[in-house]
């Protein structure tokens, strides 16, 4: 973590490790202070789960990190959904 915020690379590493993610994109939208993030998470763990259940999985995996930042938004996909989205 850097300064009072959290590094994008830290959030990415945690997501990859805890959610078996095949693709992770983390954008610091706070102007670099590490207080607001938008993330895209692609994981086979999301299969058969609705949006709320997916968000709960991500939130649980990042519980400590989310409590230390101001804003966090996420888009979660299965690998199949992500592949279809990339073809659009």
């Amino acid at each position: 973590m850097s300064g009072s915020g959290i590094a994008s690379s830290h959030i990415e590493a945690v997501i990859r490790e805890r959610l078996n993610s095949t693709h992770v994109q983390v954008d610091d939208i706070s102007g670099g202070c590490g207080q607001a993030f938008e993330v895209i998470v692609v994981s086979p763990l999301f299969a058969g789960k609705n949006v709320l259940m997916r968000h709960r999985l991500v939130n649980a995996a990042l519980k400590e990190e989310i409590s230390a930042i101001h804003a966090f938004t996420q888009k979660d996909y299965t690998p199949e959904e992500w592949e279809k989205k990339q073809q659009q």
Side-chain angles (χ1 to χ4, degrees), residues 17-76:
E17 177 185 327
R18 297 180 187 166
L19 294 174
N20 192 29
S21 300
T22 58
H23 175 80
V24 180
Q25 179 179 325
V26 180
D27 295 316
D28 183 344
I29 57 170
S30 65
C33 71
Q35 288 294 314
F37 296 93
E38 288 181 345
V39 301
I40 294 173
V41 182
V42 180
S43 173
L45 298 178
F46 298 145
K49 294 180 173 52
N50 65 28
V51 172
L52 180 59
M53 293 169 73
R54 293 174 184 196
H55 283 203
R56 286 180 176 166
L57 272 176
V58 174
N59 290 349
L62 293 171
K63 184 176 181 179
E64 182 180 319
E65 289 78 9
I66 290 174
S67 70
I69 61 178
H70 176 70
F72 181 81
T73 60
Q74 60 183 293
K75 293 182 181 176
D76 308 313

